[in-house]
Amino acid sequence: MKKIIIILTLFLLTTSCSKLNIFGFGEKKDKFEKLGINKSLWVASNNLLNKYEDTKSNLKEGNIFTGWIESDQNTVRFRISIYILGSDLIGDNIKIFSEKEFNINGVWKKQQVSEAFNTKLKMKIIKDAESLAL
């Protein structure tokens, strides 16, 4: 009897309990759950911005951002940053910051981005995230 207990103990110690999922212990959280970031908001934001060059993301910081997105005539450019702040699929968990510049005689001049621009981006991301969550 002692041999069986020793063998079972050694077996449990040498194997990873998380792989065995004994008694419910060892369930692995996905990376979004661990970081407290809503996966649907992240994927929807990534899908929206990934079509632009120089898009980068940092899941640990919950941030996705673009390089400068220039118009065809090279007269206007935008830069967009999206932050996912929580794990719930609500509007308060997404913040969007954008910059806009106009090229005037070869010099880029900063201009205020309308709040409507950021709101439209936010609403599109939330709508896309809700469809992903279904």
Side-chain angles (χ1 to χ4, degrees), residues 50-79:
N50 267 341
K51 58 187 163 191
Y52 302 111
E53 290 183 30
D54 279 346
T55 298
K56 294 180 177 50
S57 60
N58 184 332
L59 185 58
K60 287 183 181 179
E61 293 184 16
N63 178 246
I64 305 167
F65 56 97
T66 66
W68 286 108
I69 304 165
E70 295 187 18
S71 67
D72 292 335
Q73 298 81 19
N74 201 26
T75 56
V76 180
R77 66 183 184 179
F78 288 90
R79 187 164 42 195

Side-chain angles (χ1 to χ4, degrees), residues 22-55:
I22 297 174
F23 307 116
F25 299 113
E27 287 183 28
K28 292 186 176 182
K29 292 182 179 180
D30 73 4
K31 58 187 171 185
F32 295 98
E33 224 177 315
K34 284 181 185 177
L35 297 170
I37 292 174
N38 183 278
K39 184 176 183 175
S40 298
L41 287 174
W42 179 265
V43 171
S45 300
N46 231 351
N47 289 345
L48 179 68
L49 296 184
N50 267 341
K51 58 187 163 191
Y52 302 111
E53 290 183 30
D54 279 346
T55 298

Side-chain angles (χ1 to χ4, degrees), residues 1-14:
M1 182 69 163
K2 288 182 182 179
K3 288 182 180 182
I4 294 174
I5 293 173
I6 292 172
I7 291 172
L8 283 175
T9 304
L10 288 173
F11 175 74
L12 288 175
L13 291 175
T14 57

Side-chain angles (χ1 to χ4, degrees), residues 65-128:
F65 56 97
T66 66
W68 286 108
I69 304 165
E70 295 187 18
S71 67
D72 292 335
Q73 298 81 19
N74 201 26
T75 56
V76 180
R77 66 183 184 179
F78 288 90
R79 187 164 42 195
I80 303 168
S81 294
I82 299 174
Y83 291 88
I84 310 299
L85 305 173
S87 59
D88 296 326
L89 180 53
I90 58 174
D92 288 344
N93 281 341
I94 183 168
K95 296 293 182 209
I96 299 175
F97 300 96
S98 51
E99 298 176 75
K100 180 179 182 180
E101 291 184 349
F102 278 95
N103 189 345
I104 302 172
N105 298 324
V107 178
W108 291 102
K109 302 278 183 175
K110 194 171 224 168
Q111 185 179 17
Q112 183 71 31
V113 177
S114 71
E115 197 58 38
F117 178 80
N118 289 342
T119 302
K120 284 180 184 179
L121 285 177
K122 184 175 184 176
M123 298 312 294
K124 175 161 180 35
I125 291 168
I126 290 171
K127 181 180 172 191
D128 292 349

